[in-house]
């Protein structure tokens, strides 16, 4: 079963829960990142995406979708996110991310969400120590010396583990041309 095949909706229409589960597994995480571009709240994004899938399953017998699953799901999540923002606009501050997303083409947002998902999967595949050091450096903005002190290891060990992490990430993500992104991590030394 390919996810670009619109026949998956016919299978879901007939109650094929395996097809539905595979569709959910393939698209859930990138759709959450995509929704987060609109609502700037990852928990809320998860909830909105889950609701799209719940509605898809509940209304499966009435499905008459002739789009690719990817196109249908991304448009559904975008619409659900925008609807949420419209109904809750008084209580949600408009952040720069949301304002900027209006000027970014839709397909770029989809690609960014998919890339974020692939990066997170690649990071999760790193050996435990590499992942821990990489996360501290990248997501907690710690310098190598701070990481070494926190983990009670040498700065050289941190450098070596970051080198291993970057090499593995370059290999995993080489087809996404994010070498510049990864190289920027290298500049955080000491």
């Amino acid at each position: 079963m390919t996810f670009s095949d619109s026949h998956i909706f016919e299978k879901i229409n007939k109650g094929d829960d395996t097809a539905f589960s595979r569709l959910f597994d393939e698209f859930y995480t990138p759709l959450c990142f995509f929704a987060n571009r609109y609502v700037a709240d990852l928990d809320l994004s998860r909830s909105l995406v889950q609701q799209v899938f719940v509605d898809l399953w509940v209304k499966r017998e009435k499905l008459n979708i002739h789009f690719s699953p990817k196109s249908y799901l991304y448009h559904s999540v975008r619409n659900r996110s925008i609807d949420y923002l419209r109904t809750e606009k008084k209580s949600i501050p408009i952040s720069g991310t949301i304002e900027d997303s209006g000027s970014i083409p839709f397909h770029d947002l989809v690609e960014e969400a998919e890339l974020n998902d692939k990066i997170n999967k690649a990071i999760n595949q790193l050996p435990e120590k590499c992942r821990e050091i990489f996360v501290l450096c990248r997501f907690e903005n710690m310098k190598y010396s701070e990481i070494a002190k926190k983990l009670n290891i040498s700065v050289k060990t941190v450098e070596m583990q970051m080198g291993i992490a970057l090499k593995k990430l370059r290999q995993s993500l080489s087809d996404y041309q994010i070498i510049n992104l990864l190289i920027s991590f290298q500049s955080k030394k000491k």
Side-chain angles (χ1 to χ4, degrees):
M1 173 185 338
T2 62
F3 292 108
S4 60
D5 181 7
S6 62
H7 296 298
I8 191 167
F9 289 123
E10 292 174 13
K11 293 177 181 184
I12 293 171
N13 179 275
K14 294 175 183 173
D16 185 340
D17 58 349
T18 302
F20 179 80
S21 293
R22 290 186 64 196
L23 187 71
F24 181 88
D25 291 343
E26 179 72 16
F27 288 104
Y28 176 75
T29 302
L31 286 170
C32 288
F33 285 116
F34 180 69
N36 193 52
R37 289 293 309 237
Y38 290 94
V39 298
D41 179 336
L42 200 50
D43 288 333
L44 175 59
S45 299
R46 289 182 186 122
S47 177
L48 293 172
V49 171
Q50 288 170 3
Q51 193 57 50
V52 166
F53 278 102
V54 167
D55 289 349
L56 179 65
W57 184 253
V58 168
K59 298 174 183 177
R60 70 185 177 278
E61 294 174 355
K62 299 176 185 174
L63 287 180
N64 190 17
I65 303 167
H66 300 287
F67 303 105
S68 75
K70 180 178 176 179
S71 176
Y72 173 80
L73 290 170
Y74 275 93
H75 278 88
S76 296
V77 168
R78 183 189 75 186
N79 292 342
R80 177 73 50 126
S81 299
I82 291 170
D83 287 347
Y84 177 83
L85 290 173
R86 281 186 189 132
T87 59
E88 300 295 324
K89 67 182 175 185
K90 292 180 182 175
S91 63
I92 294 187
I94 302 297
S95 72
T97 303
I98 297 169
E99 291 171 356
D100 294 343
S101 69
S103 63
I104 300 172
F106 177 73
H107 67 278
D108 289 349
L109 292 173
V110 172
E111 289 173 6
E112 181 182 340
E114 289 174 346
L115 179 59
N116 283 335
D117 181 49
K118 295 201 185 311
I119 290 170
N120 284 331
K121 285 179 180 175
I123 290 170
N124 287 332
Q125 303 257 326
L126 291 172
E128 185 178 341
K129 198 56 135 179
C130 282
R131 182 176 57 244
E132 181 181 14
I133 290 170
F134 183 82
V135 167
L136 288 172
C137 181
R138 169 61 177 96
F139 298 108
E140 295 187 23
N141 296 319
M142 293 178 72
K143 294 182 180 182
Y144 286 7
S145 58
E146 295 170 328
I147 295 169
K149 185 176 181 180
K150 177 176 180 155
L151 299 179
N152 200 23
I153 56 178
S154 72
V155 173
K156 281 289 187 196
T157 302
V158 173
E159 289 175 359
M160 187 176 72
Q161 291 295 319
M162 278 299 292
I164 292 168
L166 292 170
K167 181 178 178 184
K168 289 183 179 287
L169 290 173
R170 280 187 195 107
Q171 290 169 347
S172 296
L173 302 168
S174 63
D175 55 336
Y176 292 96
Q177 298 181 355
I178 62 164
I179 302 303
N180 292 336
L181 174 68
L182 295 175
I183 289 173
S184 72
F185 297 134
Q186 196 70 10
S187 65
K188 295 191 92 165
K189 281 187 178 179
K190 304 169 189 161

